[in-house]
Amino acid sequence: MRIQLLPSSFDANGHATLEQRLTCFLIDARVAVDAGSIAIALTPQERLDVRDIIVTHPHMDHIASLPIFIDDLYATLKEPMRVHATPEVIELLEKDVFNWNVYPRFSELQNDYGPVMEYIPIPVDRPFKVAHLTVQAIPVNHIVPTIGLIVSHNQTSVAFSSDTAETEAFWKAVNSKRQLDALLIEASFPNEMAKLAAVSRHFTPASLGQELTKLTHNGMDILAVHLKPMYRQTIINQLADLQIPKLAVMEPGRTYSW
Ligand SMILES: [Zn+2]
Ligand SMILES: [Zn+2]
């Protein structure tokens, strides 16, 4: 499985930078997990190939360019863009984003080939298929309805925490997998901002260190994501202080393979 965290910030010369303001992971150049930077960072070929997008929750940093992505491709879509989300999140996207005011309700629109956008409700009680992947969704602890994911293909499994604070069901599901190759987990705020992390339901390096004691798998890559750009270096230093084997910060733009 190949996974890339799409870049979302660029320097004056147009080169991607390490700051991660928007969240969008691309899996095997075909399936997106969240859509923050989807309209910004995909190659022309990837634009042709990505027709399945899993939305973990409707926060702006996770959906910012989803409407623009569909808009860009509108006339050329020969199959609808499939947006996979829980029924609660679908309702929020329809009410607050694709509501004719913020943007058109693409789920009701067609081009010459047919519908341009289709919602696929995600079940949280059983695994489901997205393209070639098997996906399990687990509700996590964030301030809006949010799911973590375990994504599998053949013998490989990768877990995504999405945005969350302390949680139990996610670890139960992760620990029950026979094999785990990588864990992509959020570390949003530095330790000094523990209060803000708690009210907005995010981790600091310290609370993440605590949380990882619930993980029973060993030896997989643990990649921290969702670092607030303003505090990136502080968070990196505090993560290093945890001295957890194979814990690193995920680099936007780099393709990881498991
Ligand atoms: Zn969020
Ligand atoms: Zn977020």
Side-chain angles (χ1 to χ4, degrees):
M1 194 182 299
R2 285 169 300 127
I3 302 184
Q4 192 191 11
L5 170 60
L6 294 186
S8 61
S9 300
F10 301 87
D11 66 20
N13 298 315
H15 299 127
T17 69
L18 295 176
E19 284 84 27
Q20 187 199 347
R21 297 191 164 81
L22 305 171
T23 294
C24 179
F25 301 97
L26 183 64
I27 306 178
D28 293 338
R30 272 185 76 185
V31 174
V33 170
D34 288 325
S37 46
I38 195 165
I40 299 168
L42 289 185
T43 64
Q45 184 60 45
E46 287 162 349
R47 281 175 177 254
L48 295 176
D49 294 340
V50 176
R51 293 294 176 267
D52 291 279
I53 303 166
I54 304 172
V55 176
T56 65
H57 69 298
H59 277 160
M60 189 60 89
D61 51 322
H62 298 254
I63 59 151
S65 70
L66 173 62
I68 309 300
F69 186 56
I70 299 170
D71 191 347
D72 275 353
L73 297 169
Y74 190 93
T76 60
L77 286 170
K78 294 190 170 148
E79 55 183 303
M81 197 64 70
R82 289 176 290 273
V83 175
H84 304 258
T86 58
E88 301 107 291
V89 170
I90 292 171
E91 206 180 308
L92 292 169
L93 290 173
E94 287 287 273
K95 180 165 81 71
D96 297 329
V97 181
F98 298 103
N99 58 9
W100 297 115
N101 291 323
V102 174
Y103 231 58
R105 179 157 285 162
F106 287 129
S107 60
E108 293 179 5
L109 295 177
Q110 304 216 344
N111 64 13
D112 292 346
Y113 304 101
V116 294
M117 176 186 183
E118 182 187 358
Y119 290 108
I120 315 269
I122 285 181
V124 289
D125 54 351
R126 63 193 149 81
F128 54 97
K129 295 290 280 190
V130 177
H132 60 300
L133 305 169
T134 303
V135 183
Q136 191 180 345
I138 309 102
V140 291
N141 176 19
H142 197 37
I143 46 176
V144 291
T146 303
I147 48 169
L149 303 170
I150 303 171
V151 176
S152 305
H153 183 228
N154 295 335
Q155 304 311 312
T156 305
S157 287
V158 176
F160 297 76
S161 72
S162 190
D163 291 8
T164 188
E166 294 73 10
T167 185
E168 301 303 327
F170 179 73
W171 298 114
K172 209 173 145 201
V174 166
N175 290 336
S176 70
K177 294 298 285 187
R178 205 156 41 87
Q179 163 81 13
L180 184 69
D181 296 279
L183 168 66
L184 277 49
I185 188 152
E186 76 126 287
S188 295
F189 289 105
N191 292 335
E192 299 73 39
M193 300 178 77
K195 240 186 191 157
L196 182 56
V199 294
S200 57
R201 310 254 185 106
H202 286 293
F203 287 128
T204 63
S207 62
L208 176 58
Q210 276 298 310
E211 192 72 4
L212 286 174
T213 63
K214 299 173 185 173
L215 178 66
T216 58
H217 288 284
N218 290 310
M220 73 271 131
D221 290 308
I222 303 176
L223 295 176
V225 296
H226 208 272
L227 284 66
K228 294 283 178 191
M230 284 281 285
Y231 314 107
R232 183 178 163 85
Q233 195 51 53
T234 310
I235 298 169
I236 289 172
N237 296 344
Q238 293 174 349
L239 287 169
D241 290 343
L242 295 174
Q243 298 195 317
I244 293 173
K246 299 187 87 171
L247 170 61
V249 173
M250 192 169 193
E251 285 175 39
R254 173 172 161 192
T255 300
Y256 295 74
S257 296
W258 290 285

